[in-house]
Amino acid sequence: MDPDLAQLTFLLPVLALVLWTSVMWFWLYITRVPAMQKARIHPQTARHPDSGWKDKLPATARGVADNYNHLHEQPVLFYAVMAFAALTGGGDTIALGLAWAYVALRVVHSFIQAVVGTVMLRFNVFALASLVLTALVLKEVVRAFLSLSG
């Protein structure tokens, strides 16, 4: 396979998670704005996230917003390790499989948080995604140290 095509293929899970984050932003926008209007929350009230205004929103609107925020937390590590792997020759089939598994689990996590709302189910999916991400990170750490020592 052409090296440029191989790198593109390897980075598709990154693009997929970025796209999913954009979908969640759109979902946030179309749920939060009407919910704030219905609850008569003035936008300026939202200036400080901890001022209690979120408690007036329905759980579905809060779940979507919380998930959007979560997609800017742990996935940052995913983006970093994928960039590291792509730039240093770690874009193999094992890493690609782990990457797609991580993305799929984050999408499932989003639906559970935004639609289902069952905390333990969401936690279990999050924990599984975290283990997949940890495996990807450890794989790259081992590969990097073996490259340095060999």
Side-chain angles (χ1 to χ4, degrees), residues 45-107:
T45 306
R47 179 176 176 207
H48 299 290
D50 58 349
S51 61
W53 63 271
K54 291 181 183 178
D55 295 337
K56 298 176 183 173
L57 298 177
T60 52
R62 287 194 319 263
V64 172
D66 290 344
N67 187 262
Y68 178 73
N69 290 335
H70 293 165
L71 287 169
H72 291 87
E73 295 171 352
Q74 188 188 65
V76 171
L77 300 175
F78 171 73
Y79 299 136
V81 75
M82 289 296 287
F84 176 85
L87 292 171
T88 63
D92 60 16
T93 55
I94 293 170
L96 184 60
L98 290 169
W100 278 118
Y102 182 76
V103 171
L105 288 165
R106 291 307 306 219
V107 171

Side-chain angles (χ1 to χ4, degrees), residues 10-149:
F10 180 70
L11 290 173
L12 284 177
V14 172
L15 188 58
L17 193 53
V18 169
L19 177 63
W20 180 248
T21 303
S22 298
V23 168
M24 289 305 298
W25 172 84
F26 182 73
W27 193 353
L28 163 68
Y29 184 79
I30 64 172
T31 56
R32 182 175 268 184
V33 170
M36 287 178 70
Q37 290 171 340
K38 186 174 181 180
R40 297 179 188 223
I41 299 169
H42 190 277
Q44 192 60 30
T45 306
R47 179 176 176 207
H48 299 290
D50 58 349
S51 61
W53 63 271
K54 291 181 183 178
D55 295 337
K56 298 176 183 173
L57 298 177
T60 52
R62 287 194 319 263
V64 172
D66 290 344
N67 187 262
Y68 178 73
N69 290 335
H70 293 165
L71 287 169
H72 291 87
E73 295 171 352
Q74 188 188 65
V76 171
L77 300 175
F78 171 73
Y79 299 136
V81 75
M82 289 296 287
F84 176 85
L87 292 171
T88 63
D92 60 16
T93 55
I94 293 170
L96 184 60
L98 290 169
W100 278 118
Y102 182 76
V103 171
L105 288 165
R106 291 307 306 219
V107 171
V108 169
H109 177 270
S110 293
F111 278 111
I112 293 169
Q113 188 165 20
V115 178
V116 179
T118 305
V119 172
M120 284 311 298
L121 179 59
R122 187 181 90 211
F123 172 77
N124 288 331
V125 172
F126 174 78
L128 186 55
S130 298
L131 290 173
V132 169
L133 180 58
T134 299
L136 181 60
V137 169
L138 290 176
K139 178 199 168 305
E140 287 306 302
V141 167
V142 168
R143 185 185 63 77
F145 280 104
L146 288 177
S147 294
L148 289 173
S149 65

